Amino acid sequence: LPIYQDLAQEKLFKFKDEVLICRGTNIKTDNKERQADIFATNLLMPERFIREQLKNFAPELCEYDLKRIANIFQVSKQAMKIRLVDELKVLHYVQGVYYKSEREAMEAQGQQSLFQ
């Protein structure tokens, strides 16, 4: 693989024996970096396909299930967790369990939903 990377850098980008810096100094405030992250996330883990895959799993998922989903999309478990829990909010994490239903997650925490 390194041979192909070197060839691509030389032929496509005219880089040879140069160090390429891929990240800005402040990732959180670097707009170009953030746009690249959003693009990569949507490319590697499209919402439609994620929702389709989640149908194959029980209403409650464990860490192993999360790893299985990450393997399907060939991304890290952490990247998948961020996508499912933080960005898409299709899973709700409570004490080691991921719930598809926000209501079930609240009940697992001992809370009652105001809207039943």
Side-chain angles (χ1 to χ4, degrees), residues 92 100-108 111 113 115-116:
H92 310 276
K100 290 182 185 178
S101 163
E102 186 175 12
R103 180 178 175 189
E104 288 180 19
M106 289 176 66
E107 288 173 357
Q111 299 176 10
S113 174
F115 309 100
Q116 293 190 16

Side-chain angles (χ1 to χ4, degrees), residues 33-96:
E33 183 69 25
R34 185 67 190 128
Q35 287 177 5
D37 287 345
I38 291 168
F39 175 78
T41 297
N42 285 291
L43 180 68
L44 296 173
M45 299 174 277
E47 182 176 356
R48 188 176 104 215
F49 295 134
I50 285 177
R51 289 183 185 279
E52 194 64 35
Q53 283 299 323
L54 280 177
K55 292 177 185 177
N56 299 322
F57 290 85
E60 297 177 10
L61 290 81
C62 64
E63 293 291 333
Y64 177 73
D65 294 324
L66 191 67
K67 180 66 178 166
R68 286 177 48 211
I69 297 168
N71 286 341
I72 291 168
F73 290 88
Q74 298 183 356
V75 297
S76 70
K77 186 175 89 170
Q78 184 64 28
M80 185 56 70
K81 181 178 180 178
I82 291 169
R83 182 74 166 143
L84 294 172
V85 176
D86 298 334
E87 294 175 0
L88 298 178
K89 299 182 184 344
V90 293
L91 291 183
H92 310 276
Y93 181 79
V94 179
Q95 299 172 342

